[in-house]
Structures are given as structure tokens and as C-alpha cells.
Amino acid sequence: MKFFVDTAEIDAIRELAATGLLDGVTTNPSLIAKSGRDFMEVTAEICKLVDGPVSAEVVALDHETMMKEAEVLRKIADNVCIKVPLTVDGLKTCKALASDGTMVNVTLCFSANQALLAAKAGASFISPFVGRHDDNGFDGMELIEDIRLIYDNYDFATEILVASVRHTTHVLQAAKIGADVMTAPPAVIHALFKHVLTDKGIEGFMADWAKTGQSIL
Ligand code: G3P
């Protein structure tokens, strides 16, 4: 499963990129606002930090203006992936960009039928929001299972990008279902490293090593 980080915070991206575990980055208008940075400028910086896809979202609601915005965004770098909402205009834009060989991430997906539409429109990625699905009394992971089944039934190449990931259990469940990608905030990715027994084990080894009075260097 590929790991994307869901943030526009440069320092957090740089730190995770250094682990070699980062396959891409996702942003959205809320994350850009949170960063307080200029959209074009911060997106260009992010694109230099990772080789994989960096999702940059259009903000227009009509197809024509979305295409104009996409034209500007895709000039930022070769690894920009244009993010469009799951609407009629968004999928028209997806179809047009995909036919042109541009990577497209279709976002704000909350049903398996919506995911089917995005795949038919040639999306590179579909972003089902599991956390927000859970928040509203649905089962986010059941949605991922349904999309996996449908995409496998028809051999769609669209990658399932599990988004709105809130905790490490979401990551585990996504991997068990066979999602292609997950995008999570930096804190959730850092939490994946943690285990109380790992910390305890290090503590024990360090204490015993100190008793030997030796050093490696
Ligand atoms: O990737 C989508 C994400 O940014 C939304 O997350 O936690 O606001 O639902 P959240």
C-alpha cells in the first residue's frame, strides 16, 4: 500500500520524506488555508520534496473554469495530480484531463456508485473519506470493501486512495482490504511506528548495554 501524507506543512513532509516511506502528498483548500502559505508557492515546494503524485485541488465549480485552473496547476511540476470534486463538472474535467494523460484524483467520494463513476471517467485515484463517513453514522471501511470489489470486478485501473484517515486502525483496515493508497495526517503516520513493547524493549536493551561498559564507536 502506498503512503501519502495529507498536509501542506513543508517541515512535516520533509521529515516523512526522509524516512523513504512517502509515496506522495495530498492537499485540499482547507489544508492550504491551515498552512497559511501561498497555494502555488507551497505546492511547488512540496513537488520538489517528493517524486510521487502531489494532489492540488481546483476550486472552481464549473467545468470550464476547472479546466483553466487545472492548466495553471499542472504547470507547477510534472508530479502534480489535479484534484476535482465528485460532481458532474468535476467528472467532465476528470475525463478531459485523463484523456490528455494528466493524473486526476477525484475527491469527496462517499458512495461506491460515486467511485464507479470516477473510474469510468478515467480517474487515477478515487478518494473515499472514511473518517467523515464514520462521523455520519456509516461504516467507512465497508465503503472501501465495496469499492475494492467493484474495481476488481471490472479491472478498473483507478487506485483507491483512502482519505480522511483519523487513526492507525483505519490504516490497518485499509491494508487488509487491499486499498492501493492511504493518505493520513503526519501524526497518524508517526503513530504507526509506535508500540509500547518497542519502547520498553529499547529501554531494557539500553539498560543492559550500559552494564557491559562497552561502546561501539
Ligand atoms: O484527505 C481528506 C482529508 O483532508 C479530510 O480529512 O479529517 O478533514 O475528514 P478530515
Side-chain angles (χ1 to χ4, degrees), residues 32 37-47 56-57 69-77 80:
I32 296 294
R37 297 281 314 275
D38 175 82
F39 182 27
M40 303 296 289
E41 205 179 271
V42 78
T43 306
E45 275 179 45
I46 296 170
C47 287
E57 190 161 344
E69 290 180 351
E71 201 45 48
V72 173
L73 295 175
R74 70 177 170 181
K75 281 192 187 129
I76 295 175
V80 165

Side-chain angles (χ1 to χ4, degrees), residues 6 28 31 129 132 163-164 166 183:
D6 197 30
N28 60 38
L31 294 171
F129 277 30
R132 292 192 196 182
S164 184
R166 303 276 174 76
T183 189

Side-chain angles (χ1 to χ4, degrees), residues 128-199:
F129 277 30
V130 292
R132 292 192 196 182
H133 213 57
D134 293 350
D135 291 345
N136 284 278
F138 301 100
D139 183 342
M141 284 301 154
E142 206 174 287
L143 174 61
I144 304 304
E145 277 172 358
D146 286 350
I147 300 172
R148 182 74 283 159
L149 178 70
I150 292 168
Y151 280 12
D152 289 350
N153 279 349
Y154 298 99
D155 277 334
F156 282 122
T158 302
E159 295 188 44
I160 303 173
L161 196 176
V162 179
S164 184
V165 164
R166 303 276 174 76
H167 45 71
T168 56
T169 307
H170 274 152
V171 180
L172 178 65
Q173 289 170 320
K176 284 167 93 170
I177 294 166
D180 304 284
V181 194
M182 74 89 201
T183 189
V188 173
I189 298 181
H190 283 288
L192 293 170
F193 288 89
K194 299 295 286 178
H195 196 288
V196 64
L197 293 179
T198 304
D199 295 343

Side-chain angles (χ1 to χ4, degrees), residues 47-158:
C47 287
K48 284 190 191 133
L49 289 177
V50 293
D51 295 330
V54 174
S55 290
E57 190 161 344
V58 296
V59 289
L61 297 177
D62 67 285
H63 169 59
E64 204 183 312
T65 320
M66 279 183 192
M67 288 300 292
K68 286 182 188 156
E69 290 180 351
E71 201 45 48
V72 173
L73 295 175
R74 70 177 170 181
K75 281 192 187 129
I76 295 175
D78 288 345
N79 55 337
V80 165
C81 173
I82 306 297
K83 205 172 182 187
V84 299
L86 211 154
T87 59
V88 173
D89 286 75
L91 292 193
K92 272 162 83 175
T93 305
C94 174
K95 185 83 187 166
L97 292 171
S99 312
D100 208 15
T102 301
M103 281 188 291
V104 184
N105 176 0
V106 176
T107 190
L108 292 168
C109 169
F110 292 94
S111 81
N113 277 338
Q114 287 181 320
L116 177 57
L117 296 176
K120 286 177 68 68
S124 320
F125 302 100
I126 181 68
S127 291
F129 277 30
V130 292
R132 292 192 196 182
H133 213 57
D134 293 350
D135 291 345
N136 284 278
F138 301 100
D139 183 342
M141 284 301 154
E142 206 174 287
L143 174 61
I144 304 304
E145 277 172 358
D146 286 350
I147 300 172
R148 182 74 283 159
L149 178 70
I150 292 168
Y151 280 12
D152 289 350
N153 279 349
Y154 298 99
D155 277 334
F156 282 122
T158 302

